[in-house]
Amino acid sequence: MMLKLGIIGTNWITKMFVEAAKKTAKYELVAVYSRRAETGQKFAEDFTDVVQIFTDIDAFLKSGIDVVYIASPNSLHFAQAKAAIEADVNVIVEKSAFDNIKQYEEIHSLMRQHPKVRLFEAARHVQQDNFKLLAQQVAKMEHISGATLIYEKYSSRFDAYLAGEEPNVLSKQFAAGALTDLGVYPIYAAVKLFGLPQEQHYFATLLNNGADGRGTVILRYPKFDVTIIFGKGSNSYEHSEILGYRDTILIDSIAELTDIKYDDGQGNVTVISQPVLDNPMIPEADLFAKIMLDPLENDSIYHDLEILSQRVNIVLTELRKSAGIEFATD
């Protein structure tokens, strides 16, 4: 069976996901929703599928799609996911999925009324083989002394901000900023590897419009801290590290995971990463399809994904509170 895929959002990440989904041979692109028909049509031209273009979201959700991939601005995720669930359509939503704990709880309360619907947060990096190899190495370490995870990448829209504009990826109005757009990657990794922290603190550097452009997060665990550094206004080439007693894991990028090494502290360095796929979204697309096509067989896997997404949502919400950053939905 092929899953009939509809998409919301016509940017580069949507194109990457559709290409990944098609490579799994478990999806076919059948529908595109866009506020402007010409934008949706232009997106669809990149694919050979027979695709319907919609400017009405209700008609889009009732068009027979099995699953919708949502990659719209963060502030639109909640309403669009809610509409999809009410239409009994499965949802894959880009991170950060929802603005706060309140939205998360409302969505999952609604899902109890639609028990056949599955909702996934698209955190591609934690589904990649190299992340699994990283997690296996962490589990083998005798002791964790701490970690520093870095993801600082100059935004393609930062020049527009410097020119006096307010791009939606750098605007509180769209529930965006460094934490929700970039910090979510290392936070997802930390929560996946170490669980919920006991405390979380965010020291944010704010832009002129009040959104966070850069910041440092401290996650406190019982016996160690995780320091997370991220930003949208500069590029960092520093490695991320997970520290043992004398041994160390070195990671080139906590989001891309292309080069991971284990240094035992005694002169032995082992490369534990494998060559990455051309499209890093293939593993998540394949996993999500596996769950949707056989939900009973894969119920425990789906339950683990739900718990991880909920924990990340809690941490992100508490971090924003600690930095005094409020969204309109708070």
Side-chain angles (χ1 to χ4, degrees), residues 178-219:
L179 176 64
T180 56
D181 287 354
L182 288 187
V184 65
Y185 282 90
I187 288 165
Y188 236 105
V191 174
K192 176 70 172 175
L193 292 171
F194 307 121
L196 266 178
Q198 291 183 329
E199 300 175 32
Q200 49 268 311
H201 306 278
Y202 183 28
F203 305 93
T205 302
L206 301 182
L207 303 174
N208 293 335
N209 61 7
D212 54 324
R214 188 176 188 275
T216 300
V217 161
I218 305 294
L219 304 181

Side-chain angles (χ1 to χ4, degrees), residues 52-76:
Q52 290 183 278
I53 310 300
F54 294 88
T55 57
D56 180 278
I57 194 166
D58 291 331
F60 165 76
L61 292 170
K62 293 175 183 176
S63 66
I65 60 175
D66 298 309
V67 54
V68 58
Y69 170 77
I70 300 174
S72 54
N74 294 346
S75 60
L76 303 180

Side-chain angles (χ1 to χ4, degrees), residues 8-11 35 70-80 93-97 99 167-169 171 173-176 181:
I8 297 176
T10 53
N11 51 36
R35 290 175 298 170
I70 300 174
S72 54
N74 294 346
S75 60
L76 303 180
H77 291 176
F78 173 75
Q80 291 169 346
V93 58
E94 268 301 329
K95 59 201 173 310
S96 302
D99 294 356
N168 58 32
V169 296
S171 170
Q173 178 184 350
F174 289 94
D181 287 354

Side-chain angles (χ1 to χ4, degrees), residues 7-143:
I7 61 105
I8 297 176
T10 53
N11 51 36
W12 65 271
I13 198 168
T14 311
K15 185 174 186 292
M16 183 184 290
F17 180 82
V18 173
E19 290 171 346
K22 288 171 66 64
K23 285 185 179 179
T24 70
K26 294 174 182 176
Y27 301 79
E28 57 176 328
L29 177 64
V30 300
V32 173
Y33 167 78
S34 178
R35 290 175 298 170
R36 297 191 301 162
E38 57 268 29
T39 303
Q41 188 62 51
K42 184 177 180 181
F43 180 89
E45 287 172 358
D46 288 336
F47 303 96
T48 59
D49 308 72
V50 178
V51 180
Q52 290 183 278
I53 310 300
F54 294 88
T55 57
D56 180 278
I57 194 166
D58 291 331
F60 165 76
L61 292 170
K62 293 175 183 176
S63 66
I65 60 175
D66 298 309
V67 54
V68 58
Y69 170 77
I70 300 174
S72 54
N74 294 346
S75 60
L76 303 180
H77 291 176
F78 173 75
Q80 291 169 346
K82 183 178 179 181
I85 295 165
E86 289 173 337
D88 286 311
V89 173
N90 295 299
V91 177
I92 300 170
V93 58
E94 268 301 329
K95 59 201 173 310
S96 302
F98 304 113
D99 294 356
N100 49 43
I101 297 169
K102 179 178 64 176
Q103 283 191 350
Y104 186 94
E105 290 179 345
E106 185 173 339
I107 286 292
H108 282 267
S109 176
L110 178 64
M111 287 184 66
R112 286 192 285 272
Q113 301 171 39
H114 299 266
K116 293 183 178 180
V117 171
R118 296 293 180 267
L119 181 144
F120 308 92
E121 186 169 17
R124 60 171 172 80
H125 59 312
V126 298
Q127 304 306 333
Q128 292 175 230
D129 287 343
N130 279 346
F131 190 89
K132 295 173 184 177
L133 293 171
L134 168 63
Q136 290 171 11
Q137 189 63 58
V138 169
K140 293 176 184 177
M141 294 174 75
E142 178 185 354
H143 175 80

Side-chain angles (χ1 to χ4, degrees), residues 302-317:
Y302 177 67
H303 181 63
D304 289 345
L305 292 177
E306 281 189 301
I307 291 174
L308 178 59
S309 178
Q310 181 186 36
R311 288 176 172 177
V312 170
N313 179 268
I314 290 169
V315 172
L316 289 174
T317 302

